[in-house]
Amino acid sequence: MQLYHRQQIESVATFNPHSLSVIENAFSALGRGEVTMPPVLSMAIHEHNGEVDVKTAHIKGAERFAIKVSPGFFDNPSIGLPSLNGLMVVFSASTGLVEAVLFDEGYLTDLRTALAGALSAKYCARDDANIVTVLGAGTQARLQVSALKLVREIDTVHVWARDNAQARQYKAEVEAELGVRVIPHQDVAQACQQADIIVTTTPAKQPILHWQDIPKGAHVTAMGSDSAEKRELDPHILHNADWVLVDRRAQSEVLGELKGLALSRCVEELGKTVASGRPIARSDEAVTVCDLTGTGVQDTAIANYVVSALHHAHGSGDAGAL
């Protein structure tokens, strides 16, 4: 069994068309019914504003499957630590033997989450979408824009965060890293006025985005709500949008933006749209929404990809044997 650390993992897993196709193929398999994926095991640690999620899945025909343990402790930035951490244990799908432990410190979760956001935009946003509004200024707020640049010609980013200093820091970092113009705002509605794509990236427990904030023709990717206590979208958005997609409906109804809602409308799973090979049939003025709660199939797909790449690049000699 091999132990790979974050630096090794980052050397083979980046934002590029190949990694995007890995996640796209995973969603396609999910949409075709070729994935076994149990419900998320989730545990809250209230006294430290923390939670732990365990996710897994098996993709038919895949060489390996992964079990991921993902802690999120949202007060950590105040003491200089990242909010997310964790690791993935990777097993042979034919023997059940452990092949590798990916001690990625949450990096692969960040990567596959942002790539799912890019897929959401690829299949739902207008082809000419180039202005993004990001609500939140943390890690995903940056990575979602990096991933979006794989599928759309993004040139301007509007950002809102509760902490104005974080929004200013976001502007400096994203402009330097991605070469896009970033405009901070102190008001969500103002930040969204010109948006073609809106991405919500917060652990909010009360809605931060409302129906009246969304311009005609915009696409919304909501990726912050992944537990029963969280909600980023006002329910009117789900009732009024022209299209509503989710990564997994059963999961969204428990952990995501569909929880507690009785929607009298069709809700499409992103995987089925991806499997069709065609973007949704939207009009230029339609408002579309995709709720991403994070799925085990993404974890297994990215882990399988990384282990194959590490074995090819390093062999067993550069990893720590356990």
Side-chain angles (χ1 to χ4, degrees):
M1 184 178 75
Q2 301 299 318
L3 171 63
Y4 294 102
H5 291 273
R6 178 166 179 158
Q7 185 175 3
Q8 294 167 295
I9 294 165
E10 287 185 351
S11 72
V12 298
T14 61
F15 289 109
N16 57 58
H18 190 184
S19 61
L20 180 66
S21 70
V22 167
I23 300 303
E24 189 166 19
N25 290 339
F27 272 105
S28 184
L30 186 65
R32 293 193 303 269
E34 297 173 359
V35 174
T36 302
M37 189 168 68
V40 177
L41 171 63
S42 185
M43 178 175 70
I45 303 177
H46 294 294
E47 62 265 37
H48 297 293
N49 193 21
E51 64 187 31
V52 181
D53 291 337
V54 179
K55 297 182 179 181
T56 187
H58 169 58
I59 303 170
K60 183 179 179 181
E63 187 175 356
R64 306 172 187 90
F65 69 94
I67 297 176
K68 182 187 72 174
V69 182
S70 179
F73 282 67
F74 302 106
D75 293 337
N76 278 4
S78 67
I79 55 174
L81 296 174
S83 296
L84 298 178
N85 207 298
L87 54 80
M88 297 186 183
V89 184
V90 185
F91 300 81
S92 165
S94 58
T95 67
L97 296 180
V98 178
E99 287 196 11
V101 175
L102 303 178
F103 188 54
D104 66 312
E105 303 173 43
Y107 172 74
L108 291 177
T109 295
D110 284 336
L111 181 72
R112 61 77 151 157
T113 299
L115 290 169
L119 282 182
S120 167
K122 177 179 178 178
Y123 284 88
C124 300
R126 299 193 324 268
D127 290 341
D128 63 350
N130 61 3
I131 299 174
V132 178
T133 292
V134 179
L135 304 184
T139 299
Q140 274 300 313
R142 296 191 299 274
L143 297 185
Q144 289 281 335
V145 177
S146 295
L148 281 171
K149 286 175 68 68
L150 294 172
V151 299
R152 293 293 185 272
E153 298 291 334
I154 305 302
D155 57 35
T156 304
V157 177
H158 297 266
V159 61
W160 168 88
R162 288 192 173 93
D163 186 329
N164 292 332
Q166 281 191 341
R168 291 192 296 272
Q169 182 180 355
Y170 177 92
K171 171 182 170 66
E173 292 177 353
V174 173
E175 286 186 338
E177 292 174 9
L178 302 181
V180 297
R181 181 188 181 205
V182 178
I183 305 169
H185 296 269
Q186 297 184 10
D187 177 77
V188 169
Q190 185 183 50
C192 294
Q193 281 182 352
Q194 301 177 55
D196 301 318
I197 299 170
I198 300 170
V199 187
T200 63
T201 68
T202 74
K205 296 181 179 179
Q206 298 293 330
I208 57 172
L209 182 67
H210 297 81
W211 175 247
Q212 61 268 25
D213 300 329
I214 303 173
K216 289 183 179 180
H219 170 66
V220 178
T221 296
M223 52 72 49
S225 179
D226 58 359
S227 70
E229 295 81 15
K230 298 178 187 177
R231 185 180 294 280
E232 295 186 292
L233 305 184
D234 186 299
H236 288 95
I237 295 173
L238 285 307
H239 286 288
N240 293 336
D242 296 279
W243 288 84
V244 175
L245 287 84
V246 295
D247 50 9
R248 188 69 155 179
R249 177 154 189 165
Q251 209 167 282
S252 183
E253 289 174 342
V254 175
L255 305 175
E257 296 294 343
L258 296 188
K259 58 184 175 285
L261 300 184
L263 290 183
S264 58
R265 47 107 37 84
C266 177
V267 175
E268 183 80 19
E269 290 197 348
L270 179 60
K272 292 182 179 179
T273 299
V274 174
S276 77
R278 299 183 302 275
I280 62 172
R282 61 163 299 148
S283 69
D284 286 344
E285 293 196 346
V287 171
T288 58
V289 178
C290 185
D291 180 36
L292 301 175
T293 53
T295 60
V297 71
Q298 295 164 250
D299 298 314
T300 278
I302 201 72
N304 198 39
Y305 163 62
V306 166
V307 170
S308 294
L310 286 167
H311 285 353
H312 178 74
H314 302 299
S316 60
D318 293 339
L322 295 179

